[in-house]
mmCIF file of all heavy atoms in Angstrom:
data_model
loop_
_atom_site.group_PDB
_atom_site.id
_atom_site.type_symbol
_atom_site.label_atom_id
_atom_site.label_comp_id
_atom_site.label_asym_id
_atom_site.label_seq_id
_atom_site.Cartn_x
_atom_site.Cartn_y
_atom_site.Cartn_z
ATOM 1 N N PHE I 383 0.830 -1.189 0.000
ATOM 2 C CA PHE I 383 0.000 0.000 0.000
ATOM 3 C C PHE I 383 0.871 1.249 0.000
ATOM 4 O O PHE I 383 1.906 1.292 0.645
ATOM 5 C CB PHE I 383 -0.913 0.018 1.225
ATOM 6 C CG PHE I 383 -2.006 -1.009 1.176
ATOM 7 C CD1 PHE I 383 -1.892 -2.213 1.839
ATOM 8 C CD2 PHE I 383 -3.155 -0.751 0.459
ATOM 9 C CE1 PHE I 383 -2.896 -3.152 1.798
ATOM 10 C CE2 PHE I 383 -4.168 -1.677 0.405
ATOM 11 C CZ PHE I 383 -4.041 -2.882 1.072
ATOM 12 N N ASP I 386 -1.224 7.124 0.474
ATOM 13 C CA ASP I 386 -2.574 7.674 0.358
ATOM 14 C C ASP I 386 -3.643 6.602 0.124
ATOM 15 O O ASP I 386 -4.801 6.910 -0.110
ATOM 16 C CB ASP I 386 -2.627 8.717 -0.744
ATOM 17 C CG ASP I 386 -2.219 8.166 -2.105
ATOM 18 O OD1 ASP I 386 -1.632 7.070 -2.153
ATOM 19 O OD2 ASP I 386 -2.487 8.830 -3.113
ATOM 20 N N ASP I 387 -3.270 5.324 0.208
ATOM 21 C CA ASP I 387 -4.222 4.238 -0.038
ATOM 22 C C ASP I 387 -5.134 3.996 1.158
ATOM 23 O O ASP I 387 -4.748 4.195 2.305
ATOM 24 C CB ASP I 387 -3.486 2.931 -0.352
ATOM 25 C CG ASP I 387 -2.831 2.953 -1.718
ATOM 26 O OD1 ASP I 387 -3.210 3.811 -2.542
ATOM 27 O OD2 ASP I 387 -1.942 2.127 -1.958
ATOM 28 N N TYR I 388 -6.355 3.558 0.834
ATOM 29 C CA TYR I 388 -7.293 3.177 1.892
ATOM 30 C C TYR I 388 -8.125 1.974 1.437
ATOM 31 O O TYR I 388 -8.308 1.735 0.248
ATOM 32 C CB TYR I 388 -8.217 4.332 2.278
ATOM 33 C CG TYR I 388 -9.176 4.755 1.181
ATOM 34 C CD1 TYR I 388 -10.405 4.132 1.040
ATOM 35 C CD2 TYR I 388 -8.847 5.766 0.300
ATOM 36 C CE1 TYR I 388 -11.275 4.509 0.038
ATOM 37 C CE2 TYR I 388 -9.709 6.145 -0.710
ATOM 38 C CZ TYR I 388 -10.924 5.518 -0.836
ATOM 39 O OH TYR I 388 -11.783 5.880 -1.837
ATOM 40 N N LEU I 389 -8.584 1.220 2.403
ATOM 41 C CA LEU I 389 -9.540 0.139 2.206
ATOM 42 C C LEU I 389 -10.478 0.212 3.403
ATOM 43 O O LEU I 389 -10.030 0.172 4.556
ATOM 44 C CB LEU I 389 -8.841 -1.224 2.151
ATOM 45 C CG LEU I 389 -9.745 -2.451 1.991
ATOM 46 C CD1 LEU I 389 -10.463 -2.429 0.644
ATOM 47 C CD2 LEU I 389 -8.931 -3.734 2.132
ATOM 48 N N THR I 390 -11.764 0.365 3.140
ATOM 49 C CA THR I 390 -12.743 0.601 4.193
ATOM 50 C C THR I 390 -13.886 -0.390 4.076
ATOM 51 O O THR I 390 -14.420 -0.620 2.986
ATOM 52 C CB THR I 390 -13.301 2.040 4.099
ATOM 53 O OG1 THR I 390 -12.212 2.960 4.195
ATOM 54 C CG2 THR I 390 -14.315 2.330 5.181
ATOM 55 N N LEU I 391 -14.278 -0.979 5.212
ATOM 56 C CA LEU I 391 -15.463 -1.817 5.288
ATOM 57 C C LEU I 391 -16.652 -0.897 5.543
ATOM 58 O O LEU I 391 -16.624 -0.076 6.456
ATOM 59 C CB LEU I 391 -15.334 -2.825 6.432
ATOM 60 C CG LEU I 391 -16.577 -3.661 6.720
ATOM 61 C CD1 LEU I 391 -16.885 -4.597 5.564
ATOM 62 C CD2 LEU I 391 -16.415 -4.430 8.016
ATOM 63 N N VAL I 392 -17.692 -1.039 4.731
ATOM 64 C CA VAL I 392 -18.920 -0.261 4.890
ATOM 65 C C VAL I 392 -20.036 -1.227 5.284
ATOM 66 O O VAL I 392 -20.294 -2.197 4.572
ATOM 67 C CB VAL I 392 -19.293 0.487 3.591
ATOM 68 C CG1 VAL I 392 -20.568 1.293 3.784
ATOM 69 C CG2 VAL I 392 -18.151 1.369 3.129
ATOM 70 N N VAL I 410 -7.482 -0.313 6.034
ATOM 71 C CA VAL I 410 -6.180 0.263 5.670
ATOM 72 C C VAL I 410 -6.397 1.761 5.584
ATOM 73 O O VAL I 410 -7.336 2.219 4.941
ATOM 74 C CB VAL I 410 -5.676 -0.272 4.309
ATOM 75 C CG1 VAL I 410 -4.425 0.461 3.872
ATOM 76 C CG2 VAL I 410 -5.429 -1.767 4.362
ATOM 77 N N GLN I 437 -19.977 -3.799 2.190
ATOM 78 C CA GLN I 437 -19.272 -3.396 0.982
ATOM 79 C C GLN I 437 -17.846 -3.037 1.376
ATOM 80 O O GLN I 437 -17.595 -2.651 2.521
ATOM 81 C CB GLN I 437 -19.931 -2.173 0.341
ATOM 82 C CG GLN I 437 -21.335 -2.413 -0.153
ATOM 83 C CD GLN I 437 -21.958 -1.115 -0.632
ATOM 84 O OE1 GLN I 437 -22.186 -0.215 0.172
ATOM 85 N NE2 GLN I 437 -22.223 -1.021 -1.918
ATOM 86 N N LEU I 438 -16.950 -3.156 0.446
ATOM 87 C CA LEU I 438 -15.579 -2.675 0.638
ATOM 88 C C LEU I 438 -15.338 -1.567 -0.370
ATOM 89 O O LEU I 438 -15.748 -1.669 -1.523
ATOM 90 C CB LEU I 438 -14.574 -3.806 0.433
ATOM 91 C CG LEU I 438 -14.579 -4.870 1.522
ATOM 92 C CD1 LEU I 438 -13.757 -6.075 1.102
ATOM 93 C CD2 LEU I 438 -14.033 -4.303 2.821
ATOM 94 N N LYS I 439 -14.696 -0.497 0.078
ATOM 95 C CA LYS I 439 -14.353 0.570 -0.856
ATOM 96 C C LYS I 439 -12.875 0.897 -0.709
ATOM 97 O O LYS I 439 -12.302 0.782 0.383
ATOM 98 C CB LYS I 439 -15.235 1.798 -0.676
ATOM 99 C CG LYS I 439 -15.075 2.546 0.605
ATOM 100 C CD LYS I 439 -16.015 3.740 0.626
ATOM 101 C CE LYS I 439 -15.789 4.584 1.859
ATOM 102 N NZ LYS I 439 -16.651 5.757 1.885
ATOM 103 N N SER I 440 -12.273 1.281 -1.818
ATOM 104 C CA SER I 440 -10.837 1.551 -1.845
ATOM 105 C C SER I 440 -10.527 2.484 -2.998
ATOM 106 O O SER I 440 -11.266 2.557 -3.978
ATOM 107 C CB SER I 440 -10.067 0.231 -2.035
ATOM 108 O OG SER I 440 -8.685 0.468 -2.128
ATOM 109 N N ASN I 441 -9.416 3.172 -2.874
ATOM 110 C CA ASN I 441 -8.935 3.978 -3.985
ATOM 111 C C ASN I 441 -8.088 3.152 -4.947
ATOM 112 O O ASN I 441 -7.779 3.587 -6.036
ATOM 113 C CB ASN I 441 -8.125 5.174 -3.476
ATOM 114 C CG ASN I 441 -6.871 4.745 -2.750
ATOM 115 O OD1 ASN I 441 -6.896 3.820 -1.942
ATOM 116 N ND2 ASN I 441 -5.770 5.415 -3.020
ATOM 117 N N ARG I 442 -7.734 1.928 -4.570
ATOM 118 C CA ARG I 442 -6.913 1.044 -5.399
ATOM 119 C C ARG I 442 -7.809 0.195 -6.286
ATOM 120 O O ARG I 442 -8.384 -0.785 -5.846
ATOM 121 C CB ARG I 442 -6.069 0.127 -4.513
ATOM 122 C CG ARG I 442 -5.037 0.805 -3.655
ATOM 123 C CD ARG I 442 -3.735 1.032 -4.391
ATOM 124 N NE ARG I 442 -3.233 -0.155 -5.036
ATOM 125 C CZ ARG I 442 -2.300 -0.958 -4.541
ATOM 126 N NH1 ARG I 442 -1.755 -0.696 -3.367
ATOM 127 N NH2 ARG I 442 -1.904 -2.005 -5.214
ATOM 128 N N LYS I 443 -7.968 0.597 -7.544
ATOM 129 C CA LYS I 443 -8.817 -0.134 -8.485
ATOM 130 C C LYS I 443 -8.089 -0.302 -9.812
ATOM 131 O O LYS I 443 -7.275 0.536 -10.199
ATOM 132 C CB LYS I 443 -10.127 0.609 -8.708
ATOM 133 C CG LYS I 443 -10.959 0.711 -7.448
ATOM 134 C CD LYS I 443 -12.245 1.447 -7.685
ATOM 135 C CE LYS I 443 -13.008 1.538 -6.372
ATOM 136 N NZ LYS I 443 -14.243 2.281 -6.520
ATOM 137 N N ASN I 444 -8.426 -1.400 -10.509
ATOM 138 C CA ASN I 444 -7.846 -1.607 -11.836
ATOM 139 C C ASN I 444 -8.652 -0.834 -12.877
ATOM 140 O O ASN I 444 -9.592 -0.109 -12.532
ATOM 141 C CB ASN I 444 -7.753 -3.110 -12.152
ATOM 142 C CG ASN I 444 -9.111 -3.776 -12.240
ATOM 143 O OD1 ASN I 444 -10.140 -3.129 -12.432
ATOM 144 N ND2 ASN I 444 -9.125 -5.088 -12.111
ATOM 145 N N GLY I 447 -12.354 -0.958 -12.754
ATOM 146 C CA GLY I 447 -12.995 -0.424 -11.561
ATOM 147 C C GLY I 447 -13.109 -1.412 -10.414
ATOM 148 O O GLY I 447 -13.823 -1.173 -9.449
ATOM 149 N N VAL I 448 -12.388 -2.539 -10.507
ATOM 150 C CA VAL I 448 -12.414 -3.561 -9.465
ATOM 151 C C VAL I 448 -11.248 -3.326 -8.507
ATOM 152 O O VAL I 448 -10.131 -3.024 -8.940
ATOM 153 C CB VAL I 448 -12.313 -4.970 -10.099
ATOM 154 C CG1 VAL I 448 -12.274 -6.041 -9.025
ATOM 155 C CG2 VAL I 448 -13.473 -5.204 -11.052
ATOM 156 N N ILE I 449 -11.503 -3.450 -7.210
ATOM 157 C CA ILE I 449 -10.441 -3.276 -6.210
ATOM 158 C C ILE I 449 -9.302 -4.233 -6.525
ATOM 159 O O ILE I 449 -9.521 -5.428 -6.704
ATOM 160 C CB ILE I 449 -10.993 -3.519 -4.791
ATOM 161 C CG1 ILE I 449 -12.024 -2.445 -4.430
ATOM 162 C CG2 ILE I 449 -9.863 -3.512 -3.765
ATOM 163 C CD1 ILE I 449 -12.723 -2.665 -3.110
ATOM 164 N N ASP I 450 -8.074 -3.711 -6.593
ATOM 165 C CA ASP I 450 -6.931 -4.534 -7.021
ATOM 166 C C ASP I 450 -6.028 -4.997 -5.874
ATOM 167 O O ASP I 450 -4.908 -5.422 -6.091
ATOM 168 C CB ASP I 450 -6.110 -3.822 -8.096
ATOM 169 C CG ASP I 450 -5.297 -2.660 -7.567
ATOM 170 O OD1 ASP I 450 -5.473 -2.280 -6.397
ATOM 171 O OD2 ASP I 450 -4.479 -2.123 -8.332
ATOM 172 N N VAL I 451 -6.529 -4.911 -4.658
ATOM 173 C CA VAL I 451 -5.856 -5.510 -3.501
ATOM 174 C C VAL I 451 -6.810 -6.572 -2.958
ATOM 175 O O VAL I 451 -8.005 -6.526 -3.239
ATOM 176 C CB VAL I 451 -5.508 -4.468 -2.411
ATOM 177 C CG1 VAL I 451 -4.497 -3.467 -2.935
ATOM 178 C CG2 VAL I 451 -6.745 -3.745 -1.921
ATOM 179 N N PRO I 452 -6.326 -7.546 -2.195
ATOM 180 C CA PRO I 452 -7.241 -8.573 -1.688
ATOM 181 C C PRO I 452 -8.352 -7.965 -0.827
ATOM 182 O O PRO I 452 -8.111 -7.528 0.288
ATOM 183 C CB PRO I 452 -6.328 -9.479 -0.855
ATOM 184 C CG PRO I 452 -4.962 -9.244 -1.389
ATOM 185 C CD PRO I 452 -4.943 -7.815 -1.834
ATOM 186 N N PRO I 453 -9.563 -7.896 -1.358
ATOM 187 C CA PRO I 453 -10.670 -7.274 -0.625
ATOM 188 C C PRO I 453 -11.411 -8.301 0.233
ATOM 189 O O PRO I 453 -12.336 -8.963 -0.228
ATOM 190 C CB PRO I 453 -11.563 -6.731 -1.733
ATOM 191 C CG PRO I 453 -11.352 -7.676 -2.870
ATOM 192 C CD PRO I 453 -9.940 -8.172 -2.738
#
Side-chain angles (χ1 to χ4, degrees):
F383 289 99
D386 59 345
D387 289 343
Y388 66 87
L389 178 65
T390 302
L391 173 66
V392 180
V410 173
Q437 296 174 294
L438 290 169
K439 67 180 185 178
S440 177
N441 64 316
R442 295 274 309 262
K443 296 180 181 178
N444 64 20
V448 177
I449 295 174
D450 72 351
V451 295

